[in-house]
Structure formats: structure tokens, C-alpha cells
Amino acid sequence: MEEALLEIIEAVRSGVVGGEGADSSADAAWLDKLVRRHNRAAHDGTRQVAKRRLLPFYLRVKAEEPERWAAWNVSEATDAALVRLLQAKPRRTASGVATITVLTKPWPCSGACVFCPNDIRMPKSYLSDEPACQRAERCWFDPFLQVAARLRTLTAMGHVTDKVELIVLGGTWSDYPAAYQRWFTGELFRALNLPDEERAREATERQRWYENRGLPRDRDALAAAAAPLQQRIDAGELTYNEAWREAYAAEGPRGHEAEAFPHPGISTAAQRADQGLPLREDAENAAPKELSWDDLFALHRANETAPKRVVGLVVETRPDLVTADACRSLRALGCTKVQIGIQSLSDDLLAANGRAITSARIADAMALLRRFGFKSHVHFMVNLLGADPASDIADYRRLVTDPAFLPDEVKLYPCCLVESARLTDCYEAGRWRPYTEEELVGVLVADVLATPPWTRISRMIRDISATDILAGNKKTNLRQVVEAAVDATGEPVAEIRSREISVEGASVDDLALETIAYRTANTEERFLQWVTPENKIAAFCRLSLPTALPRDTANESSPPPIKSEQSEARGSSLASPSAPQEAMIREVHVYGKVAALHHTGEGTQHLGLGRALVEEACAQAAAAGYTAINVISAVGTRVYYRNLGFKDAGLYQKRPLP
């Protein structure tokens, strides 16, 4: 391994590969050739050199064997070029941050959607074969362990992890007990606050704790233990919630503090199945002290200056659970973006698919999210029960043009059939069929072309294994197929993801600052963007100018639900979003490779683009007559905004306007 690495270092040092602006495909081909040559030289048929092990080996020597690394004589420039050459999956941090996705434990869901998977090993709507779900199950759904494992993997792949966006998946966040929400969030922050060695040490101790309790994580054993219940779910004999009670509800009453502990769930099942016992937990939870709001706020303050800072916290819930009180609680947790499952705006389709919600309630939820400054990330589905291609296209067009909605991001999923979903009965009865590929691509192409420049289509498929899909799209490269079809139309594409500068970066001198204004039901939105001459986007800011109050926030005199000694002492309410005469910055995002904190990287980060956007937003808000501007800052960006003149103001940061 070292011989191959030294050859690569010399090639980088001499400029043969890895140079600034080098052809990445040519470099990759050169590296493949070198790896094959060294493996052939072994003459024993083994692959002693592997691309995925080169960078971890290099980083380990650099961190743990300073004398050996010094002997390699690697300059700072060579080090940067070497990491760039060996980095795996560079797009993972091409959006400017390192994303870490975690899952909550299995928990009952108050919804009953016909298309929703019902995997008893997972939170409702998720399947155990999805990559993030596999990682969560291996970590017993423990948030600390999930973060520690993901950080370790991203670092080994050569990614900078100083700025982290946390995405919390797991069905409906608002259905979980408040104590669990605080504990789960606190553990995410605590994992990021610890130094690397201390985090690794605690992760090892936690893993031993689970193993000593006999909680297995072998996927085959878990699948076998869950099989009897899963078969009854698939046969329609049990709902997910009924099966959950059999699988996880402990014998006898459970204390409130127990709810705050990580629920290993089905993990206890293998041993009990071997003993012929019911599929229940067989030991009392050793619950930690319940995490108070003050405890959580202390973890937040520590993260403000931690080596790994949270620059975004995302949770997912349903529109009917988006209330003013829920928004206040989410802000107190540190949340900055909310994913909500809309699926459709047709009341008939929503009813037919068991959504128990209306488009009017969805509109209220969108207005509330904007009012509280959240970024909205909606889930929208194609090919639902009762839909057809023409109605799907019209439905999506309404989503991105009607002022009542206008989301910031969209996950645009095609509906597919999995065995545990109630949609199976409709399929067998001939009441639902999957679109043909031509129909599906046609709908998605129309949707992409209809998407405005302030909206990002983040995904077009779920990470559902093809083996789990009984009917529907199984192509993992569906987005590539759609993008090729879009290109063939010759029509311009405005949506954000297709315009991101990604890993290639841009020259600051070539960028122009543009503002796109649009109206929603309760705000005037200004989308400020730095763009290249080719309309590629390098950075953007979402400025929100309130024009009306959503119904659910009209009574701002009601007492705040979030209480803490800190807030009482400083006499500051943690409840209210900005007043109507105060503007709100909902997001500032700079694209390109992640730059380490306090360092200028190879992309466009830390070059002043974000600061310029904030100053322009302040100027525009002042010109529009607003007296102050708030920002829904993430915990890890508070210091940044303080340096721009913002002061802490409850759950937001505020700056007066001239």
C-alpha cells in the first residue's frame, strides 16, 4: 500500500495528476491503471491495493505516525491535491456542507397512507434495506452512534466535516414524545461537540453496552426474528401500529424517563425468538437523566464554537401537525428546515390515498413555516392511487405557481408498490397501475421544466431496493434519464440543483448578483443569487418580507411553551417569530466544495459571497420599510451572524435596520 501511495504522491508533486483544474476523468483513469499494476505485481491474486483504502491509509499515517509522514515530504499543496485525487464521491459535500442523515427509532404513526411501507424493523414509511436505515439499525438507532459512524466514514472518504447539516428521518417527528425529541437532538449535538478521540472512545463504550445487553445487530437474525410479525402485516392481519405494540411495548407501565432512551426495538427479538418468547424487550431500559431545555441549550452553546458545527437541522413531519406551538418547539431544538409530506394538492387524491388532510391545511402549514422562517422541503408523489399523467402535471404546476404553496425544495417521488403497503390490494384489484417508463419520464420532464429558479428538486427516487419493489420504477438512475430527456427538449431549466456550480467552483469576478421577487400568501419573497454568465448558481439568500399573519399565529400573546431558566433570567420570550414589520432571512447558502472553518478552500466558500448576500438583503428590507431583520440561524452559524451585526433574540438573531 505504501509503495503505491508514494508513487501517487510523486506523481502529484510533479504535476502528472491532481493539479488544479485537472481533468478528473483522466486522473481517475490514471489511478485505476496504477492500482491494477500494483495488484498484478503481487502475483498472488490478492488486491493488496484498493482505491477506497488509499486515502484512509494516508490520513491515518498523517494523524498517527508523524515521523513516517514527515519522511514522505508532503507539502501543503501536494496534500490538498492528493486528497482531491483520492477523495471518494466528491458530490457528497459539493453543496457546501457535509450531510449526516440519522433515523429515529420505530414508533407508532398517526397516519394511514395506502402507499406507505410498513417494515416493523423501521420507523413507519422506511424499509430496512435503504442505506440510511441499514446504518441506523447497525447503530441500534442510537443518534450518537449514528453521527460518530457517519463522521468516521466521511472523513475516511476525504471529506471536510467542519460544517454539518443534520437530517433526521423516521416518519413523523411530531408523533414522538417531547422528551425523546430533546434527548435525540441533544445526542446529535453532543456527538459533534466532542473531540474526535473522545467521540470514538464513547462510541466504543456505547457499542459494548448494547452488545452486553444481548442486543444483536446482525441483519439476518433481525429479519428472522421480525418475520412472523412482518408476515402478518403483509397479509393485512395487523396494522403497523398493532404490530409495533406487540414488538416493542414493554410489559407493564413505562416511566416517562424511559421514553427518552434510545429504543433498540426489534434488536432484542432474536434472543427472545430463540427462547420461544414474545417479541418484546426483555430488560429494563437504563434511561439516562432526562434532557431539559436548559441542558439542550447548553449543548447548543458548546456547538457554536465546536470544531464540527451544525449549520442546518432538518426534521420531517406531516402538514396537519405543523402548528405555531410545534414551530416554536422546533426552533428551540435548533431546527432550520422542515420536510413535510404533501404528496398531492388534490383533495380527492389525498382522501383516496388515506392522507386525512386537505390542500387548505397544507396551505396553512406552508404559511406557518414561512412565518417562522423555516425552509420548506416538501415531498410530492407522482402516480398515486387515482392519478393520471395529465392530473399529475397539473397538480405539480399548482404546487410551484400557487402563492399558497411555493416550496423551497421538493422531493419528487414516483409511487412504487412494496409488499407491506395497503396499495397492494388496489394493485391486485386492478385499481392502481404503475406508469410506463415513457409516462413517468414525461411527467417528470414537465415538472422539471415547470420548477421556478428559487426551488430545488433534491431527489427523484427513494432509496428503496429493487428487490423490495413489486411494481413501479426500479431504475436507480431515473434522474439521469429524466435530465437527458429534458436536455433533448432544448428548453432552459431554472430549478436550483441543475444550476449548482457543484465541485467545479467559479471565479468571483465572473459572478453577478441578481434578485428574483415572488409573492406567497403571506410574504413577499426575494431570492438573491450569485450567478455565473452561464446562469450557474454559486450562492443564494432567501429574504422573506411578511405581509400577513397566518391564522395560527394571530394570538401572539399566548404564553410560550418553551421555558428555561436562561430565558426567564434575560426576560426574553423564546416564542415569537419576527413581528410583521420585521423581515426574515430564511437561508444563506454558498455552493462549491466545503471549505474548512476559517480557511479559504478551492471553491467559492469563505470568499465573502454570503456576507454580500446578507448585506444586500438588509439593504432591500430597509428600502421596503422594515425596521429590523431576523435570521433563522443554525446553532453553528450564530457566531457568523454576530460578526455581521446580529444580536441574539430568543430563538432568532436580529439586526436593526436604518
Side-chain angles (χ1 to χ4, degrees):
M1 183 76 76
E2 183 171 9
E3 182 180 349
L5 185 59
L6 289 175
E7 183 176 342
I8 296 169
I9 291 172
E10 182 56 37
V12 170
R13 183 184 292 122
S14 61
V16 173
V17 292
E20 187 72 31
D23 185 335
S24 58
S25 59
D27 283 356
W30 179 89
L31 187 60
D32 280 335
K33 186 176 180 180
L34 177 140
V35 168
R36 288 196 300 270
R37 174 162 50 81
H38 277 270
N39 285 328
R40 283 198 302 269
H43 299 299
D44 58 2
T46 62
R47 296 185 65 226
Q48 297 184 5
V49 181
K51 285 194 298 183
R52 64 185 177 85
R53 290 201 291 266
L54 284 167
L55 185 59
F57 172 68
Y58 172 75
L59 294 175
R60 182 184 61 76
V61 171
K62 181 180 177 180
E64 301 175 9
E65 302 180 51
E67 293 183 3
R68 185 181 185 186
W69 188 72
W72 292 350
N73 192 28
V74 179
S75 68
E76 185 175 343
T78 300
D79 176 72
L82 182 68
V83 171
R84 180 171 57 243
L85 176 67
L86 298 180
Q87 186 185 62
K89 300 182 179 179
R91 280 200 63 90
R92 285 283 167 85
T93 51
S95 290
V97 298
T99 298
I100 294 180
T101 300
V102 298
L103 256 77
T104 49
K105 65 186 179 182
W107 193 256
C109 178
S110 54
C113 309
V114 299
F115 49 79
C116 193
N118 294 276
D119 187 333
I120 194 58
R121 289 161 58 187
M122 291 291 130
K124 188 75 153 48
S125 87
Y126 287 88
L127 290 166
S128 54
D129 284 339
E130 296 181 64
C133 297
Q134 293 184 42
R135 294 195 297 265
E137 192 171 52
R138 286 196 298 268
C139 294
W140 298 277
F141 298 98
D142 184 307
F144 186 99
L145 287 179
Q146 291 183 69
V147 170
R150 200 64 186 142
L151 283 175
R152 186 167 58 247
T153 299
L154 288 170
T155 301
M157 293 166 65
H159 294 281
V160 177
T161 57
D162 293 0
K163 291 176 284 190
V164 173
E165 181 182 46
L166 291 167
I167 300 178
V168 182
L169 302 180
T172 305
W173 172 263
S174 304
D175 277 341
Y176 287 85
Y180 179 79
Q181 294 178 17
R182 285 196 302 275
W183 173 83
F184 192 95
T185 305
E187 289 299 284
L188 299 177
F189 279 94
R190 204 167 66 79
L192 292 168
N193 290 347
L194 291 177
D196 293 345
E197 291 184 3
E198 191 172 341
R199 183 191 312 109
R201 183 167 57 251
E202 177 162 342
T204 300
E205 292 173 356
R206 282 195 179 213
Q207 182 170 328
R208 287 201 194 102
W209 185 90
Y210 284 108
E211 291 171 345
N212 290 340
R213 280 170 56 86
L215 303 177
R217 56 177 175 173
D218 178 77
R219 289 178 55 77
D220 291 338
L222 296 173
L229 272 181
Q230 191 62 53
Q231 289 167 2
R232 294 172 66 191
I233 293 174
D234 295 346
E237 298 174 9
L238 290 176
T239 66
Y240 174 90
N241 289 354
E242 290 168 343
W244 184 93
R245 283 190 288 273
E246 289 196 26
Y248 303 117
E251 302 284 358
R254 296 171 62 84
H256 172 71
E257 66 280 357
E259 293 181 340
F261 193 72
H263 202 302
I266 204 86
S267 304
T268 57
Q271 284 188 325
R272 297 186 64 75
D274 289 343
Q275 301 170 36
L277 298 173
L279 194 61
R280 293 182 185 273
E281 290 186 311
D282 59 347
E284 290 295 319
N285 282 332
K289 175 185 175 184
E290 180 180 336
L291 193 72
S292 69
W293 282 113
D294 280 322
D295 294 334
L296 178 60
F297 294 155
L299 291 168
H300 285 174
R301 289 193 297 275
N303 188 255
E304 291 179 12
T305 54
K308 301 186 187 302
R309 300 180 194 174
V310 176
V311 298
L313 173 60
V314 188
V315 303
E316 60 177 353
T317 190
R318 295 198 315 276
D320 52 306
L321 297 178
V322 176
T323 64
D325 282 350
C327 288
R328 294 182 184 106
S329 295
L330 288 174
R331 275 307 296 142
L333 292 170
C335 181
T336 54
K337 183 191 298 183
V338 178
Q339 296 192 41
I340 52 174
I342 287 178
Q343 321 310 353
S344 174
L345 295 177
S346 165
D347 289 350
D348 290 341
L349 282 185
L350 291 169
N353 286 272
R355 291 294 291 164
I357 195 172
T358 64
S359 59
R361 185 63 185 87
I362 293 171
D364 286 345
M366 296 294 290
L368 273 170
L369 293 178
R370 279 191 296 270
R371 171 69 174 140
F372 279 83
F374 292 108
K375 279 77 71 177
S376 59
H377 193 171
V378 308
H379 300 183
F380 215 71
M381 294 187 72
V382 173
N383 199 185
L384 287 171
L385 176 65
D388 59 64
S391 68
D392 273 339
I393 292 172
D395 203 19
Y396 184 82
R397 187 173 294 275
R398 181 186 176 195
L399 175 73
V400 297
T401 59
D402 189 327
F405 308 108
L406 304 183
D408 301 315
E409 294 187 58
V410 180
K411 288 185 178 179
L412 187 56
Y413 292 141
C415 182
C416 58
L417 183 67
V418 296
E419 186 174 6
S420 58
R422 291 193 294 128
L423 186 63
T424 304
D425 295 336
C426 303
Y427 175 66
E428 293 174 349
R431 295 193 292 115
W432 179 85
R433 69 165 181 86
Y435 290 166
T436 65
E437 181 174 325
E438 182 180 3
E439 289 173 323
L440 178 59
V441 171
V443 171
L444 295 177
V445 167
D447 291 349
V448 169
L449 294 175
T451 304
W454 58 81
T455 299
R456 185 179 192 268
I457 301 177
S458 59
R459 307 202 69 171
M460 281 192 188
I461 59 168
R462 279 274 302 268
D463 281 332
I464 296 176
S465 168
T467 58
D468 288 324
I469 298 175
L470 303 180
N473 173 69
K474 296 185 179 183
K475 285 193 171 182
T476 57
N477 67 333
L478 177 63
R479 185 163 199 148
Q480 290 178 291
V481 174
V482 171
E483 289 174 346
V486 169
D487 290 341
T489 68
E491 296 185 42
V493 178
E495 71 95 15
I496 292 174
R497 191 177 185 274
S498 64
R499 298 190 295 123
E500 295 170 6
I501 59 171
S502 187
V503 297
E504 62 264 25
S507 170
V508 175
D509 294 336
D510 293 335
L511 298 177
L513 180 57
E514 297 179 354
T515 299
I516 302 173
Y518 61 99
R519 286 195 172 275
T520 71
N522 61 323
T523 63
E524 179 186 335
E525 299 289 316
R526 306 273 182 94
F527 184 75
L528 287 62
Q529 58 176 355
W530 283 108
V531 292
T532 69
E534 299 77 28
N535 200 32
K536 290 288 186 179
I537 187 168
F540 68 81
C541 169
R542 299 185 190 275
L543 170 63
S544 192
L545 306 176
T547 58
L549 288 178
R551 293 178 308 193
D552 207 6
T553 58
N555 183 14
E556 286 298 337
S557 62
S558 60
I562 310 305
K563 295 288 188 181
S564 77
E565 294 176 4
Q566 178 190 13
S567 66
E568 295 289 343
R570 69 180 182 224
S572 172
S573 168
L574 296 181
S576 300
S578 61
Q581 70 275 16
E582 297 178 355
M584 177 78 76
I585 292 176
R586 297 193 298 113
E587 183 175 17
V588 176
H589 195 112
V590 180
Y591 285 109
K593 286 188 176 181
V594 174
L597 289 167
H598 314 302
H599 292 81
T600 297
E602 303 165 26
T604 54
Q605 292 198 340
H606 297 182
L607 299 178
L609 297 182
R611 176 185 292 267
L613 286 169
V614 170
E615 294 302 327
E616 177 63 19
C618 290
Q620 291 193 19
Y626 291 82
T627 60
I629 188 165
N630 295 269
V631 60
I632 183 170
S633 50
V635 170
T637 63
R638 290 173 181 170
V639 173
Y640 172 80
Y641 285 108
R642 288 179 194 136
N643 291 335
L644 295 183
F646 288 80
K647 305 294 184 183
D648 295 355
L651 298 179
Y652 300 84
Q653 291 179 290
K654 182 181 296 188
R655 173 172 154 178
L657 296 174

mmCIF file of all heavy atoms in Angstrom, residues 481-506:
data_model
loop_
_atom_site.group_PDB
_atom_site.id
_atom_site.type_symbol
_atom_site.label_atom_id
_atom_site.label_comp_id
_atom_site.label_asym_id
_atom_site.label_seq_id
_atom_site.Cartn_x
_atom_site.Cartn_y
_atom_site.Cartn_z
ATOM 1 N N VAL A 481 -32.005 9.733 -16.538
ATOM 2 C CA VAL A 481 -32.888 9.518 -17.694
ATOM 3 C C VAL A 481 -33.751 10.757 -17.921
ATOM 4 O O VAL A 481 -33.924 11.222 -19.062
ATOM 5 C CB VAL A 481 -33.771 8.274 -17.463
ATOM 6 C CG1 VAL A 481 -34.804 8.128 -18.581
ATOM 7 C CG2 VAL A 481 -32.916 7.013 -17.358
ATOM 8 N N VAL A 482 -34.288 11.307 -16.844
ATOM 9 C CA VAL A 482 -35.137 12.495 -16.952
ATOM 10 C C VAL A 482 -34.326 13.688 -17.450
ATOM 11 O O VAL A 482 -34.775 14.451 -18.323
ATOM 12 C CB VAL A 482 -35.794 12.807 -15.597
ATOM 13 C CG1 VAL A 482 -36.506 14.154 -15.627
ATOM 14 C CG2 VAL A 482 -36.769 11.704 -15.211
ATOM 15 N N GLU A 483 -33.127 13.877 -16.904
ATOM 16 C CA GLU A 483 -32.305 15.012 -17.319
ATOM 17 C C GLU A 483 -31.920 14.922 -18.794
ATOM 18 O O GLU A 483 -31.875 15.936 -19.499
ATOM 19 C CB GLU A 483 -31.062 15.102 -16.440
ATOM 20 C CG GLU A 483 -31.372 15.559 -15.015
ATOM 21 C CD GLU A 483 -30.171 15.504 -14.092
ATOM 22 O OE1 GLU A 483 -29.154 14.869 -14.471
ATOM 23 O OE2 GLU A 483 -30.245 16.077 -12.990
ATOM 24 N N ALA A 484 -31.672 13.702 -19.262
ATOM 25 C CA ALA A 484 -31.374 13.538 -20.681
ATOM 26 C C ALA A 484 -32.582 13.913 -21.530
ATOM 27 O O ALA A 484 -32.447 14.555 -22.585
ATOM 28 C CB ALA A 484 -30.944 12.094 -20.966
ATOM 29 N N ALA A 485 -33.763 13.517 -21.074
ATOM 30 C CA ALA A 485 -34.983 13.871 -21.795
ATOM 31 C C ALA A 485 -35.242 15.375 -21.749
ATOM 32 O O ALA A 485 -35.728 15.966 -22.716
ATOM 33 C CB ALA A 485 -36.172 13.106 -21.205
ATOM 34 N N VAL A 486 -34.924 16.004 -20.622
ATOM 35 C CA VAL A 486 -35.059 17.460 -20.522
ATOM 36 C C VAL A 486 -34.112 18.138 -21.500
ATOM 37 O O VAL A 486 -34.487 19.081 -22.217
ATOM 38 C CB VAL A 486 -34.779 17.926 -19.074
ATOM 39 C CG1 VAL A 486 -34.643 19.448 -19.028
ATOM 40 C CG2 VAL A 486 -35.886 17.475 -18.137
ATOM 41 N N ASP A 487 -32.875 17.681 -21.545
ATOM 42 C CA ASP A 487 -31.898 18.261 -22.473
ATOM 43 C C ASP A 487 -32.375 18.150 -23.915
ATOM 44 O O ASP A 487 -32.159 19.054 -24.734
ATOM 45 C CB ASP A 487 -30.543 17.563 -22.325
ATOM 46 C CG ASP A 487 -29.866 17.891 -20.999
ATOM 47 O OD1 ASP A 487 -30.254 18.902 -20.378
ATOM 48 O OD2 ASP A 487 -28.958 17.132 -20.598
ATOM 49 N N ALA A 488 -33.031 17.034 -24.213
ATOM 50 C CA ALA A 488 -33.492 16.807 -25.592
ATOM 51 C C ALA A 488 -34.579 17.798 -26.000
ATOM 52 O O ALA A 488 -34.768 18.051 -27.193
ATOM 53 C CB ALA A 488 -34.010 15.376 -25.728
ATOM 54 N N THR A 489 -35.283 18.381 -25.014
ATOM 55 C CA THR A 489 -36.324 19.362 -25.355
ATOM 56 C C THR A 489 -35.722 20.684 -25.803
ATOM 57 O O THR A 489 -36.375 21.476 -26.483
ATOM 58 C CB THR A 489 -37.248 19.629 -24.148
ATOM 59 O OG1 THR A 489 -36.518 20.309 -23.116
ATOM 60 C CG2 THR A 489 -37.831 18.334 -23.613
ATOM 61 N N GLY A 490 -34.480 20.955 -25.380
ATOM 62 C CA GLY A 490 -33.846 22.217 -25.715
ATOM 63 C C GLY A 490 -34.356 23.393 -24.900
ATOM 64 O O GLY A 490 -33.940 24.542 -25.127
ATOM 65 N N GLU A 491 -35.239 23.140 -23.937
ATOM 66 C CA GLU A 491 -35.801 24.223 -23.135
ATOM 67 C C GLU A 491 -34.907 24.497 -21.913
ATOM 68 O O GLU A 491 -34.286 23.580 -21.377
ATOM 69 C CB GLU A 491 -37.214 23.863 -22.670
ATOM 70 C CG GLU A 491 -38.210 23.697 -23.818
ATOM 71 C CD GLU A 491 -39.625 23.460 -23.303
ATOM 72 O OE1 GLU A 491 -40.001 24.145 -22.327
ATOM 73 O OE2 GLU A 491 -40.328 22.600 -23.860
ATOM 74 N N PRO A 492 -34.833 25.750 -21.479
ATOM 75 C CA PRO A 492 -33.989 26.077 -20.318
ATOM 76 C C PRO A 492 -34.565 25.512 -19.030
ATOM 77 O O PRO A 492 -35.775 25.407 -18.869
ATOM 78 C CB PRO A 492 -33.996 27.614 -20.304
ATOM 79 C CG PRO A 492 -35.278 27.988 -20.982
ATOM 80 C CD PRO A 492 -35.508 26.942 -22.031
ATOM 81 N N VAL A 493 -33.669 25.140 -18.117
ATOM 82 C CA VAL A 493 -34.062 24.611 -16.815
ATOM 83 C C VAL A 493 -33.678 25.643 -15.756
ATOM 84 O O VAL A 493 -32.537 26.091 -15.695
ATOM 85 C CB VAL A 493 -33.361 23.275 -16.518
ATOM 86 C CG1 VAL A 493 -33.746 22.758 -15.144
ATOM 87 C CG2 VAL A 493 -33.716 22.255 -17.593
ATOM 88 N N ALA A 494 -34.639 26.003 -14.908
ATOM 89 C CA ALA A 494 -34.405 27.061 -13.928
ATOM 90 C C ALA A 494 -34.130 26.534 -12.524
ATOM 91 O O ALA A 494 -33.517 27.226 -11.722
ATOM 92 C CB ALA A 494 -35.613 28.000 -13.885
ATOM 93 N N GLU A 495 -34.578 25.328 -12.198
ATOM 94 C CA GLU A 495 -34.501 24.853 -10.812
ATOM 95 C C GLU A 495 -33.053 24.824 -10.324
ATOM 96 O O GLU A 495 -32.112 24.710 -11.091
ATOM 97 C CB GLU A 495 -35.175 23.484 -10.673
ATOM 98 C CG GLU A 495 -34.461 22.306 -11.295
ATOM 99 C CD GLU A 495 -33.586 21.566 -10.284
ATOM 100 O OE1 GLU A 495 -33.737 21.781 -9.076
ATOM 101 O OE2 GLU A 495 -32.730 20.797 -10.722
ATOM 102 N N ILE A 496 -32.903 24.902 -8.999
ATOM 103 C CA ILE A 496 -31.592 25.162 -8.408
ATOM 104 C C ILE A 496 -30.591 24.040 -8.647
ATOM 105 O O ILE A 496 -29.450 24.286 -9.049
ATOM 106 C CB ILE A 496 -31.740 25.431 -6.899
ATOM 107 C CG1 ILE A 496 -32.477 26.745 -6.665
ATOM 108 C CG2 ILE A 496 -30.382 25.458 -6.216
ATOM 109 C CD1 ILE A 496 -32.795 27.026 -5.206
ATOM 110 N N ARG A 497 -30.974 22.794 -8.406
ATOM 111 C CA ARG A 497 -29.980 21.714 -8.414
ATOM 112 C C ARG A 497 -29.272 21.595 -9.759
ATOM 113 O O ARG A 497 -28.084 21.292 -9.815
ATOM 114 C CB ARG A 497 -30.640 20.379 -8.051
ATOM 115 C CG ARG A 497 -29.632 19.259 -7.789
ATOM 116 C CD ARG A 497 -30.349 17.986 -7.366
ATOM 117 N NE ARG A 497 -29.425 16.935 -6.985
ATOM 118 C CZ ARG A 497 -28.860 16.070 -7.827
ATOM 119 N NH1 ARG A 497 -29.113 16.165 -9.118
ATOM 120 N NH2 ARG A 497 -28.042 15.132 -7.387
ATOM 121 N N SER A 498 -30.004 21.835 -10.821
ATOM 122 C CA SER A 498 -29.386 21.733 -12.149
ATOM 123 C C SER A 498 -28.434 22.892 -12.417
ATOM 124 O O SER A 498 -27.647 22.831 -13.360
ATOM 125 C CB SER A 498 -30.475 21.707 -13.226
ATOM 126 O OG SER A 498 -31.193 22.930 -13.228
ATOM 127 N N ARG A 499 -28.502 23.940 -11.590
ATOM 128 C CA ARG A 499 -27.651 25.118 -11.807
ATOM 129 C C ARG A 499 -26.520 25.245 -10.791
ATOM 130 O O ARG A 499 -25.711 26.176 -10.881
ATOM 131 C CB ARG A 499 -28.505 26.384 -11.766
ATOM 132 C CG ARG A 499 -29.567 26.463 -12.849
ATOM 133 C CD ARG A 499 -30.205 27.845 -12.911
ATOM 134 N NE ARG A 499 -30.959 28.202 -11.733
ATOM 135 C CZ ARG A 499 -30.739 29.283 -10.990
ATOM 136 N NH1 ARG A 499 -29.766 30.116 -11.303
ATOM 137 N NH2 ARG A 499 -31.494 29.546 -9.930
ATOM 138 N N GLU A 500 -26.440 24.351 -9.808
ATOM 139 C CA GLU A 500 -25.385 24.457 -8.793
ATOM 140 C C GLU A 500 -24.003 24.327 -9.439
ATOM 141 O O GLU A 500 -23.801 23.494 -10.322
ATOM 142 C CB GLU A 500 -25.550 23.358 -7.751
ATOM 143 C CG GLU A 500 -26.817 23.481 -6.925
ATOM 144 C CD GLU A 500 -27.072 22.255 -6.074
ATOM 145 O OE1 GLU A 500 -26.191 21.363 -6.046
ATOM 146 O OE2 GLU A 500 -28.142 22.170 -5.445
ATOM 147 N N ILE A 501 -23.060 25.128 -8.967
ATOM 148 C CA ILE A 501 -21.713 25.045 -9.521
ATOM 149 C C ILE A 501 -21.014 23.757 -9.105
ATOM 150 O O ILE A 501 -20.013 23.373 -9.705
ATOM 151 C CB ILE A 501 -20.856 26.250 -9.128
ATOM 152 C CG1 ILE A 501 -20.752 26.369 -7.605
ATOM 153 C CG2 ILE A 501 -21.395 27.524 -9.741
ATOM 154 C CD1 ILE A 501 -19.745 27.397 -7.152
ATOM 155 N N SER A 502 -21.521 23.091 -8.063
ATOM 156 C CA SER A 502 -21.020 21.792 -7.651
ATOM 157 C C SER A 502 -19.527 21.858 -7.342
ATOM 158 O O SER A 502 -19.055 22.798 -6.717
ATOM 159 C CB SER A 502 -21.325 20.751 -8.739
ATOM 160 O OG SER A 502 -20.993 19.463 -8.314
ATOM 161 N N VAL A 503 -18.778 20.860 -7.802
ATOM 162 C CA VAL A 503 -17.368 20.755 -7.430
ATOM 163 C C VAL A 503 -16.448 21.600 -8.292
ATOM 164 O O VAL A 503 -15.283 21.765 -7.979
ATOM 165 C CB VAL A 503 -16.898 19.275 -7.506
ATOM 166 C CG1 VAL A 503 -17.660 18.435 -6.509
ATOM 167 C CG2 VAL A 503 -17.065 18.708 -8.905
ATOM 168 N N GLU A 504 -16.969 22.163 -9.399
ATOM 169 C CA GLU A 504 -16.064 22.868 -10.295
ATOM 170 C C GLU A 504 -15.711 24.276 -9.842
ATOM 171 O O GLU A 504 -14.719 24.857 -10.278
ATOM 172 C CB GLU A 504 -16.646 22.918 -11.723
ATOM 173 C CG GLU A 504 -17.970 23.655 -11.841
ATOM 174 C CD GLU A 504 -19.158 22.704 -11.801
ATOM 175 O OE1 GLU A 504 -19.017 21.620 -11.236
ATOM 176 O OE2 GLU A 504 -20.213 23.077 -12.342
ATOM 177 N N GLY A 505 -16.525 24.872 -8.965
ATOM 178 C CA GLY A 505 -16.222 26.213 -8.489
ATOM 179 C C GLY A 505 -16.484 27.272 -9.545
ATOM 180 O O GLY A 505 -17.000 27.002 -10.627
ATOM 181 N N ALA A 506 -16.150 28.506 -9.213
ATOM 182 C CA ALA A 506 -16.360 29.618 -10.133
ATOM 183 C C ALA A 506 -15.459 30.765 -9.730
ATOM 184 O O ALA A 506 -15.038 30.873 -8.578
ATOM 185 C CB ALA A 506 -17.831 30.063 -10.121
#
